[in-house]
Structure formats: C-alpha cells, structure tokens
C-alpha cells in the first residue's frame, strides 16, 4: 500500500477516535459494512475513491462540534404606537440621538430611522403604528447591542410582546456546516414524491445563471429549493449557502464555513406562535424542528409498501437530530461598518479621484483640495460620523 494511502487511513482513524465514533456507527453512516471498514483501517483492504469520499463525508456529518447552528435571520414587529422614540429607547434600548432620520419610508410608511441595517419605520396614520425591521445584517448588528445590554433574543422578544408588539415576520435559519443536507438530492426526492408534506407545492432552481458565462460552469451552480407557497404564512427555503456566497461575493466555495442553509420563514400568526413557543420553552431547537416535523418529512421509496409507511431518509433523520448533538440558538454580533460605502467609493469614485490627483500633481493645481474645502456636511452626514465614532456603550441606554 502506498505511503499516502497509509497517511489517509491514519487520518481517518485519528479523526474517528477524536470524535468518539465507533466503527459500527461510521460504517452505517457511510453505507458500508463494519467488516469492510475494519479491513480498511487495518490496511487489509484498499478503499475505492468513492468509499473514501463516503467515509470522509460521514465523518463530517458525525462531527460532534456543532455541525448545525441556528440564528434569527429576519425579524419584523409592528408596535401599536406612533411614539417612535419609545420604541427606540425603551424597547431597543438605543439612544435616539444616534439614529439617522430619513424623510422617506417603505411598506407605505412615510419616514424611517436607521442605525446601519436596523430600521424603524413610522407613519402619521395611527393604524400603521411603528414598524421594526431587522433583515440578516440587521439581526447581526442588533446582536452587537444585545450583547452590550446583557440581553438575549428571548429578553428582547418578551419586552416586545409585553409592549403590545405584533409579530409580522420571523425567519429562523439553520446553518449546516457539515453538508448534512443535500439540496439537489432533496429536490429529486420532491420530484419522486419522496417528500411527505402538507404543502402542495415546491419550487427549485439553480442560482447564478445570470452571473456565470461558461456553459460548463452551470453544473457547479448552487441549488435552491422552496417547499410551500411563498404567499403562505409558513414555508421553507433550502439553499447551498457556499454557492450563494461565491455568486454574490466571489468567495471561494471551500472558504465558506456554511455549506447549506435551511430557513423557516414565518409570517403573522405563525410568527407569533413560534415566538410564543420560544418564550415558553426557551428551546430554539424544539421550536424549529417541531415546525419542520409538522410540515415536511423526507422518506425513501419502498415499492411494496404504501407511501405512508415508507421509512424516513437516513440523512434527513440525522438532520432532525438522530445521532447528532444538541442545536442551540447562536448569535454572531457584527458592528455596523461603512464597508458597503467604502466598496462603492473604491469601485466608482477612487479611479476618478486618482486621475484628478495626478492632474493636480502635474499641473500644480488644487482641484481636490478645493472640492474638499467647499464640501458641506448635512445633518445626515454628521449622524453617520457619530454612529461610526461612538462606542457601543455610548449608543445603548441603561
């Protein structure tokens, strides 16, 4: 046996033992016999490349170090008040003076306040109240403040509901770092009617088609699977996060820690009941998987049995909790930065700026200095400066 083959076997054994996984459990997960695995580890049998791949993938699925994590990815709450200061200071616990005011809104609101991606919308129409919206980045930035306030998501949601907040949307994202989910395979199962669900529809597509230019690249594009109608109050979105990051930002697939993402998207009453369950049990895993189990189950077709008797797919069972560690609510606090603005400057402004700089140097002119000297800062610009130069502790209320 080649030296590098011995190295691979040593690596396999060491990783299996460090994870505390028995030969039998690894063999079952990889779809081979325990005897075959024993012969491989003892050097008596040389594995095929396909078996090698199966074993390494099985090891990653059995990795006890949190192969899955869950986080809030979208929160939208309407408060029955037009007192936007109360919402910002008493519920979000942020100081009003650090909020950027804009005299336009969306969702038919007339104006809004913002701190980075944290948006609070207001309207003179009493029935609209005040709307808080936190998308993905907004959730991460708000977690930065929650951390400084010594509050959790549970604390904040309790404060919001006690104040009469009405849940309009809640997205729970389950990140799969070990490749437990196989989106193309699950899509095929939907097509083969191996998806037992109360939903009547599913939709899938390959992402990146407008970005990729070479036909041969299309096999490597990420897959997205929607289960349920996008118009309903609950539906699921499953997609290959590593491909999304590659298509959006050019981040190499192997450098993205999150391989797949399963999003539970809830609106209105369904969002409220999910939050109520979270605040009753303080167990995000129980809340999330009780929703998933209620609506969808992937099975393996058994020709001689009725569809209702088909056994659950092994990978799906592992995703649901069979043989893996507990799943906890994760926070990933991120500060609000000017990165998007800096990217825009680098892309759109910097080349022209550098051109004028060279002209100034050659002609002994002062175009750039004159421009900067006569530039007027608005109240908006002064607020952004305050936001970017204040510490987190300065922004939060006590």
């Amino acid at each position: 046996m080649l030296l590098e083959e011995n190295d691979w076997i040593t690596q396999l054994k060491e990783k299996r033992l460090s994870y505390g996984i028995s030969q039998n459990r690894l063999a079952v997960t990889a779809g081979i016999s325990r005897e075959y695995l024993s012969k491989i580890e003892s050097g008596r049998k040389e594995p095929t490349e396909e078996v090698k791949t199966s074993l390494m993938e099985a090891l990653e699925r059995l990795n006890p170090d949190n192969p899955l994590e869950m986080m809030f990815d979208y929160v939208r709450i309407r408060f029955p008040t037009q007192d936007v200061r109360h919402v910002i200071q008493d519920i979000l616990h942020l100081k009003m003076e650090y909020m950027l005011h804009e005299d336009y809104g969306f969702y038919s609101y007339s104006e809004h306040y913002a701190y980075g991606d944290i948006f609070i919308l207001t309207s003179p129409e009493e029935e609209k109240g005040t709307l808080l919206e936190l998308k993905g980045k907004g959730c991460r930035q708000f977690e930065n403040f929650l951390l400084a306030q010594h509050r959790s998501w549970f604390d904040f949601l309790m404060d919001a509901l006690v104040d009469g907040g009405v849940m309009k949307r809640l997205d729970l994202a389950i990140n799969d770092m070990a490749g437990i989910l196989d989106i193309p395979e699950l899509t095929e199962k939907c097509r083969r009617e191996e998806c037992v669900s109360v939903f009547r529809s599913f939709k899938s597509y390959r992402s990146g088609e407008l970005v990729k230019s070479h036909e041969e690249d299309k096999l490597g594009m990420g897959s997205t699977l929607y289960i349920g109608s996008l118009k309903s109050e609950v539906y699921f979105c499953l997609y290959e996060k590593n491909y999304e990051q590659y298509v959006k930002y050019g981040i190499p697939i192997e450098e993205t820690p999150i391989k797949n993402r399963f999003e539970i998207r809830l609106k209105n009453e369904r969002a409220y009941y999910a939050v109520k369950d979270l605040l009753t049990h303080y167990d995000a895993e129980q809340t999330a998987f009780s929703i998933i189990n209620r609506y969808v189950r992937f099975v393996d077709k058994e020709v001689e049995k009725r569809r209702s008797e088909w056994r659950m797919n092994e990978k799906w069972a592992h995703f649901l909790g069979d043989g893996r560690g507990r799943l906890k609510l994760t926070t990933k606090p991120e500060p609000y930065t000017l990165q998007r603005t800096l990217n825009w400057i680098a892309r759109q402004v910097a080349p022209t700026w550098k051109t004028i700089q060279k002209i100034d140097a050659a002609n002994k002119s002062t175009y750039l200095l004159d421009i900067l000297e006569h530039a007027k800062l608005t109240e908006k610009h002064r607020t952004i400066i305050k936001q970017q130069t204040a510490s987190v502790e300065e922004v939060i209320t006590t």
Side-chain angles (χ1 to χ4, degrees):
M1 191 176 286
L2 295 174
L3 181 61
E4 59 185 49
E5 193 72 36
N6 282 324
D7 290 342
W8 181 86
I9 291 171
T10 301
Q11 182 186 8
L12 175 75
K13 289 169 67 176
E14 287 178 352
K15 187 173 280 193
R16 177 177 69 77
L17 292 170
S18 70
Y19 287 176
I21 300 167
S22 67
Q23 274 190 340
N24 188 57
R25 189 177 174 200
L26 177 58
V28 169
T29 306
I32 63 175
S33 69
R34 181 188 177 283
E35 291 74 18
Y36 185 21
L37 176 58
S38 181
K39 288 179 181 179
I40 290 172
E41 288 195 345
S42 64
R44 289 178 289 144
K45 191 79 174 177
E46 187 174 338
T48 64
E49 288 301 319
E50 186 179 353
V51 170
K52 279 185 179 182
T53 301
S54 296
L55 283 168
M56 297 312 288
E57 286 180 351
L59 269 176
E60 286 310 309
R61 288 204 300 275
L62 296 172
N63 185 342
D65 295 331
N66 298 324
L68 298 177
E69 66 178 14
M70 187 190 308
M71 57 179 58
F72 286 108
D73 199 54
Y74 200 127
V75 175
R76 191 191 296 166
I77 307 173
R78 181 175 63 79
F79 295 93
T81 177
Q82 290 174 289
D83 188 351
V84 67
R85 181 180 291 273
H86 166 65
V87 173
I88 291 171
Q89 294 192 162
D90 301 331
I91 301 174
L92 298 181
H93 292 190
L94 302 178
K95 291 177 182 173
M96 193 73 178
E97 67 203 76
Y98 287 96
M99 303 303 295
L100 175 64
H101 177 253
E102 297 278 18
D103 58 2
Y104 66 89
F106 32 99
Y107 308 128
S108 74
Y109 284 82
S110 58
E111 55 185 313
H112 76 269
Y113 292 82
Y115 191 106
D117 294 272
I118 299 169
F119 290 96
I120 304 95
L121 297 101
T122 185
S123 168
E125 299 176 48
E126 189 174 342
E127 66 275 9
K128 290 188 182 299
T130 300
L131 187 72
L132 166 70
E133 181 173 69
L134 306 170
K135 293 185 179 179
K137 275 192 172 297
C139 287
R140 305 289 77 77
Q141 291 166 13
F142 188 53
E143 286 172 351
N144 204 38
F145 291 122
L146 285 175
L147 183 66
Q149 295 162 358
H150 305 291
R151 289 200 297 170
S152 67
W153 275 108
F154 298 111
D155 297 326
F156 164 71
L157 290 171
M158 181 66 80
D159 290 344
L161 292 190
V162 166
D163 210 85
V166 178
M167 294 303 304
K168 303 302 293 180
R169 180 164 168 181
L170 178 74
D171 286 9
L172 288 169
I174 301 171
N175 293 327
D176 168 20
M177 269 76 73
I180 294 173
L181 296 169
D182 186 325
I183 312 302
E185 182 181 318
L186 294 177
T187 301
E188 273 305 305
K189 282 189 168 292
C190 287
R191 294 197 177 104
R192 294 196 304 262
E193 298 187 342
E194 293 178 328
C195 174
V196 181
S197 174
V198 298
F199 294 125
R200 295 182 180 180
S201 66
F202 75 91
K203 177 183 176 184
S204 67
Y205 65 89
R206 306 288 286 179
S207 63
E209 291 177 10
L210 299 178
V211 178
K212 297 280 190 173
S213 56
H214 302 294
E215 192 69 30
E216 62 269 20
D217 286 336
K218 293 197 173 181
L219 289 175
M221 290 188 297
S223 296
T224 299
L225 172 64
Y226 288 100
I227 303 176
S229 168
L230 274 63
K231 295 180 180 179
S232 68
E233 290 197 347
V234 53
Y235 67 93
F236 304 140
C237 176
L238 296 73
Y239 61 96
E240 294 176 297
K241 182 73 174 177
N242 50 4
Y243 282 99
E244 181 221 36
Q245 296 295 293
Y246 171 62
V247 170
K248 274 187 175 181
Y249 308 113
I251 300 172
I253 290 168
E254 63 277 7
E255 291 181 15
T256 304
I258 304 170
K259 291 181 170 59
N260 305 298
R261 173 173 278 187
F262 188 115
E263 292 183 0
I264 303 169
R265 299 183 179 178
L266 308 164
K267 300 175 188 173
N268 303 321
E269 194 174 75
R270 297 298 178 187
Y272 165 73
Y273 282 120
V275 170
K276 185 179 176 183
D277 194 73
L278 282 168
L279 296 178
T280 300
H281 303 289
Y282 281 71
D283 188 335
E285 180 177 40
Q286 177 181 312
T287 299
F289 285 98
S290 64
I291 296 169
I292 294 171
N293 282 320
R294 180 180 176 185
Y295 287 97
V296 68
R297 178 166 58 95
F298 285 94
V299 297
D300 293 328
K301 190 172 186 177
E302 297 177 82
V303 179
E304 297 180 358
K305 292 184 179 180
R306 289 182 299 178
R307 187 163 176 263
S308 60
E309 297 174 346
W310 292 353
R311 67 177 178 271
M312 188 181 293
N313 175 262
E314 185 182 300
K315 289 182 181 178
W316 183 250
H318 184 57
F319 171 68
L320 294 181
D322 184 16
R324 64 161 173 79
R326 292 282 295 161
L327 177 62
K328 295 181 179 179
L329 189 64
T330 304
T331 58
K332 291 191 173 180
E334 290 180 11
Y336 160 48
T337 69
L338 292 175
Q339 195 55 51
R340 276 183 295 191
T341 303
L342 294 173
N343 290 342
W344 174 78
I345 290 173
R347 197 170 54 250
Q348 302 289 342
V349 179
T352 303
W353 185 276
K354 195 167 186 177
T355 299
I356 299 174
Q357 193 176 50
K358 288 185 177 294
I359 292 172
D360 273 348
N363 295 342
K364 303 293 189 290
S365 54
T366 58
Y367 292 130
L368 289 181
L369 287 174
D370 293 341
I371 290 170
L372 283 174
E373 192 173 329
H374 291 90
K376 302 292 183 185
L377 294 181
T378 64
E379 190 60 37
K380 174 181 177 178
H381 296 124
R382 293 190 184 94
T383 303
I384 292 174
I385 291 170
K386 283 179 67 175
Q387 290 179 344
Q388 288 296 308
T389 55
S391 67
V392 174
E393 288 71 24
E394 288 177 289
V395 180
I396 64 174
T397 61
T398 56

